[in-house]
Amino acid sequence: MAVYDKSSKLIECTSLFQGRCRLRNLHNISETPVVSETPVIANDEPSSAVVFVGGGPVEDRHVLKLYEGHIESKLVRVCKGDPNYNSYTEVSLTCKNKNMDYNLLTDVYLSKAGYDLAKELDIRENDAVLYGVFQLGDPTSSKKEVPTAESALCIYSMRDVEEMFRENIMTCYQGAGNKGLEWLNIRQECVSTKLRWEQLKCGSDVNKLIGGAKAIESKPVLEMGGRFTAVAANTTHSTTIVFIGTDDGRILKTSIQYRNSTFVYEELHVSPNEPILQDMEFFGDREIRLRLDAEKGDPNPHLRVWLLGYELQRLRREERSVLWMV
């Protein structure tokens, strides 16, 4: 589920009914004014989905959704104002280095890059960058779905993300290959057209529901033992600062100047053996919000914690968010 607060709606998706999604009224959740006509997420029990709702670039007016299936992670692009999901396109998001395929995406964060990293990525400082933390799936497990104790951080410029979506969509509209999307049991061949990108960037009923064959690729800028569970990024002058949460309650404060110049400069033990959960968020220059998992048997699964310098203070357990000053 995800809250779309601008229109007071709750987005609810289920693996039932072939992966249906519905919009509910937040003021009266029994009301479901919109129900998706076609499947949106995987409809099998082991798969999971995380939904991000946002305006996206003005010229494209789209929503990006992250979907993590059995053995690979994907980004999904859907244009706003497309009730029939004709623009629905999946593209794999990979984080690989030599023989290490970090296939299990655990969290992403959309931010910017510091001056030095932006220059290396050949983008402007204000351009969007996607930061992702991945775990290595055990190659001996049936679908590489079992995480090992190895993790990585990968980065992607949104310009490259957009370009790879465009390339996959155009390839299908030029009649090459099939539409993919095996989880929807779609095996249809792509239909060749003479449509230009401006005509089809928000979809067409000719080639709708596309599973792109070419992945959005990146090599890790950081590889470590342990399981990364959360990520947030910010910039300070020319340097990019990334905070990485782990499954054993640590925060790894990481500096990225260039791709090959990434290091953990401080390690904070926030709460031993309590995983740092997804959705870390920066507030201003000196504050970050995070969530902790509960101790076993704790009826209140979230704590409110203030970290001021190195001082840790636990507050009321009924509070749901966690704040700290950096």
Side-chain angles (χ1 to χ4, degrees), residues 140-257:
T140 64
S141 58
S142 60
K143 298 177 180 178
K144 294 181 64 177
E145 78 281 10
V146 179
T148 65
E150 298 292 333
S151 297
L153 167 68
C154 273
I155 55 179
Y156 313 81
S157 74
M158 287 304 296
R159 181 201 60 191
D160 291 345
V161 170
E162 291 288 348
E163 178 57 32
M164 191 51 65
F165 271 104
R166 180 182 182 279
E167 184 175 338
N168 278 287
I169 293 169
M170 289 301 298
T171 297
C172 185
Y173 275 86
Q174 291 166 357
N178 58 62
K179 296 179 183 178
L181 298 185
E182 295 182 2
W183 62 271
L184 279 177
N185 295 318
I186 294 178
R187 292 282 185 176
Q188 300 173 353
E189 295 294 319
C190 290
V191 178
S192 179
T193 74
K194 295 182 179 180
L195 295 174
R196 300 186 303 275
W197 172 246
E198 290 73 18
Q199 297 172 289
L200 55 81
K201 64 181 180 181
C202 275
S204 165
D205 58 1
V206 177
N207 288 310
K208 62 180 180 180
L209 304 177
I210 297 173
K214 297 181 180 179
I216 303 164
E217 300 177 344
S218 182
K219 292 182 178 180
V221 297
L222 178 69
E223 296 175 273
M224 288 184 61
R227 292 177 178 173
F228 295 170
T229 56
V231 64
N234 208 340
T235 61
T236 171
H237 304 298
S238 62
T239 304
T240 306
I241 303 299
V242 179
F243 281 31
I244 300 172
T246 69
D247 71 335
D248 56 0
R250 292 175 295 144
I251 293 290
L252 309 178
K253 299 172 73 172
T254 306
S255 171
I256 305 177
Q257 189 167 12

Side-chain angles (χ1 to χ4, degrees), residues 295-308:
E295 298 174 354
K296 291 183 178 180
D298 190 338
N300 300 296
H302 298 85
L303 307 175
R304 185 175 177 88
V305 177
W306 288 87
L307 279 168
L308 195 58

Side-chain angles (χ1 to χ4, degrees), residues 247 271-277 291-303 314 317:
D247 71 335
S271 190
N273 301 318
E274 291 181 299
I276 305 297
L277 302 182
R291 294 193 301 142
L292 300 176
D293 201 357
E295 298 174 354
K296 291 183 178 180
D298 190 338
N300 300 296
H302 298 85
L303 307 175
R314 291 177 182 267
R317 286 184 176 270

